[in-house]
Amino acid sequence: MSDEPVKDPLALGLGSLASGVGFGGACLTAAQIVASFLRGDLEPSALRETAGDPLLAGLIAAVGVGGACGWYRSASLDNVWQRGVIAVLAAVGAILIGFLAAPVDRFFGILGLIIWLLLNVAFGILTTRWAIRGKGEMGSGTGTA
C-alpha cells in the first residue's frame, strides 16, 4: 500500500467553487460595511451621490474575486471547461452571498455585517484548504507526518 495521496477532483472542484463564493461574498460585504458607514454620516441627498460607488465597486470586486479564486484554485483540474464553470458559478455565488448581507445589515446593523464578513472569510479559508487537499499533492495536508 502506497502513501501517495490521491487526487480528488470533486473535493478540488467544490472547494474551489466554495472558496470563490466565500472570498467574493466577503468583498461585497465589505463594500456594504463602507456604504453603511457613509449612510450614517451623510445627508440623504449626498448619500445618493456617494453611496452607490462603494456598492458598485463591491459588486465588481465580488465577481472578480469570486471568479478568480474559483479559476485559480481549480488549476489542477484537467478539463478547462470544468474550470470555467467553477469560476462562473463562484462569481454568481459570491453575488448571492453578498446580497444576503443586506438583510443582515437591516436586522443586526454594522456588528452583524462585520460578523458576516468574518464568517465569509473563514468559510473561504476552510474551503481553500479543502481544495488544496483535493489536489492530492505531497505536503498539502493529506498525509500524516
Side-chain angles (χ1 to χ4, degrees):
M1 182 172 200
S2 69
D3 288 335
E4 290 273 328
V6 179
K7 185 176 180 179
D8 185 5
L10 182 64
L12 178 60
L14 288 178
S16 301
L17 170 66
S19 70
V21 168
F23 289 130
C27 289
L28 190 50
T29 303
Q32 290 181 28
I33 290 171
V34 170
S36 183
F37 279 132
L38 290 175
R39 193 173 41 239
D41 293 340
L42 294 176
E43 295 179 16
S45 61
L47 177 68
R48 285 187 213 102
E49 297 172 5
T50 313
D53 295 337
L55 293 177
L56 180 61
L59 183 65
I60 293 169
V63 170
V65 169
C69 280
W71 180 263
Y72 176 74
R73 280 286 147 224
S74 63
S76 295
L77 289 176
D78 299 328
N79 192 340
V80 177
W81 176 259
Q82 290 174 344
R83 290 182 67 197
V85 168
I86 288 169
V88 169
L89 288 177
V92 170
I95 293 171
L96 293 175
I97 294 298
F99 283 169
L100 285 177
V104 170
D105 181 30
R106 180 80 172 150
F107 294 120
F108 302 109
I110 290 284
L111 184 61
L113 280 177
I114 292 171
I115 291 171
W116 185 251
L117 174 73
L118 294 175
L119 285 173
N120 281 323
V121 170
F123 181 73
I125 291 170
L126 289 174
T127 55
T128 296
R129 295 177 78 184
W130 184 29
I132 290 171
R133 278 194 308 267
K135 281 183 176 181
E137 297 175 353
M138 291 300 267
S140 64
T142 56
T144 57

